[in-house]
Amino acid sequence: MKLINAALLWWVAISIAMPSAYGSVDQSPKAVEKWFKELRHGEEKLTKLHFYLHDTVTAKNPTTVQVAQANMTSKSPTLFGETVVLDDPLTVGPEPSSKIIGHAQGIYSSVSQEGYSQIMILNLIFNYGKFNGSTLSLLGSNPIFNEYREMPILGGTGAFRLARGIATEKSYAVNVTTKNAIAEHHVLVLHY
Ligand SMILES: *[C@@H]1O[C@H](CO)[C@@H](O)[C@H](O)[C@H]1NC(C)=O
Ligand SMILES: *[C@@H]1O[C@H](CO)[C@@H](O)[C@H](O)[C@H]1NC(C)=O
Ligand SMILES: *[C@@H]1O[C@H](CO)[C@@H](O)[C@H](O)[C@H]1NC(C)=O
């Protein structure tokens, strides 16, 4: 386990966990249309997010469930074909007891026969602070033994309408027995 980066936590505390000044964004069709019409006056901004994803495979209440695999998956050294659905909490710090600011909901499948790599199809759904009710959609390749895994953010909703960006994932702690893992995420996103 690594030491918690106090400066980063402080940054997160002020930039993500700050109570919302304007509440959640109106998602009615009329409000969305108005937003698009006003877009040309809007300036793109860069938002940085930092959080930890807790992937709990083995526990009384796991956050992931294997939903499919092929006959050959159990014989494959890379678990080719294994498909998992997840609803993992996102927290400010790496401790499981840390403040939850959202969830990563989606699917990953083992898609490589050579190295161990997953395709990640995730919605990052924020439920706290400035981005409460807003989401980001991530689609990318996650070769989990690489130190950093860069994955595209393809869009978003609410405060993140028309967002694009990059999420960088790094394993923070992995228990090889339980397969429970904590991953650190840095997300840089351009939005209006
Ligand atoms: C997978 O294994 C099951 C049980 O051994 C077998 O009945 C089935 O035909 C196999 N499916 C394929 C696609 O090989
Ligand atoms: C997030 O937004 C929902 C819906 O507007 C609200 O019920 C909830 O209290 C908010 N949560 C926080 C922590 O601001
Ligand atoms: C992994 O989890 C098992 C079961 O909870 C525990 O006994 C073990 O100490 C853990 N290993 C590490 C390195 O934390």
Side-chain angles (χ1 to χ4, degrees):
M1 298 283 273
K2 297 195 182 80
L3 285 174
I4 303 156
N5 185 325
L8 275 174
L9 288 183
W10 176 82
W11 182 85
V12 166
I14 57 160
S15 66
I16 299 183
M18 198 161 66
S20 175
Y22 46 83
S24 42
V25 177
D26 186 351
Q27 299 194 4
S28 67
K30 259 203 171 119
V32 174
E33 189 174 335
K34 182 167 179 281
W35 183 87
F36 269 90
K37 283 179 174 161
E38 287 169 358
L39 192 57
R40 73 184 87 103
H41 311 299
E43 216 167 277
E44 221 169 12
K45 52 183 174 262
L46 180 66
T47 292
K48 281 196 209 180
L49 303 169
H50 177 248
F51 50 81
Y52 293 82
L53 179 151
H54 298 257
D55 200 49
T56 307
V57 178
T58 313
K60 208 169 85 196
N61 299 305
T63 62
T64 66
V65 61
Q66 194 206 73
V67 293
Q69 65 166 43
N71 279 5
M72 64 168 285
T73 298
S74 51
K75 289 188 211 105
S76 159
T78 59
L79 296 178
F80 188 60
E82 183 187 44
T83 296
V84 172
V85 168
L86 66 142
D87 182 2
D88 286 351
L90 307 174
T91 62
V92 170
E95 317 78 20
S97 60
S98 176
K99 176 80 199 159
I100 294 175
I101 56 154
H103 285 83
Q105 297 177 344
I107 298 173
Y108 59 79
S109 292
S110 297
V111 288
S112 173
Q113 303 219 60
E114 283 166 10
Y116 195 85
S117 186
Q118 299 164 338
I119 181 170
M120 308 295 285
I121 306 161
L122 291 184
N123 285 317
L124 305 172
I125 301 168
F126 299 99
N127 64 6
Y128 190 73
K130 199 170 162 185
F131 300 117
N132 185 8
S134 297
T135 71
L136 287 171
S137 294
L138 178 155
L139 175 66
S141 172
N142 190 5
I144 60 167
F145 294 117
N146 289 6
E147 185 181 11
Y148 293 107
R149 290 92 66 180
E150 181 183 318
M151 293 180 269
I153 299 286
L154 300 186
T157 66
F160 295 126
R161 283 175 191 151
L162 296 182
R164 56 213 159 92
I166 293 291
T168 309
E169 180 174 280
K170 183 182 191 197
S171 296
Y172 178 83
V174 181
N175 185 314
V176 291
T177 314
T178 60
K179 302 220 171 72
N180 295 344
I182 301 168
E184 181 180 15
H185 278 255
H186 284 95
V187 176
L188 278 175
V189 64
L190 286 170
H191 62 111
Y192 293 94

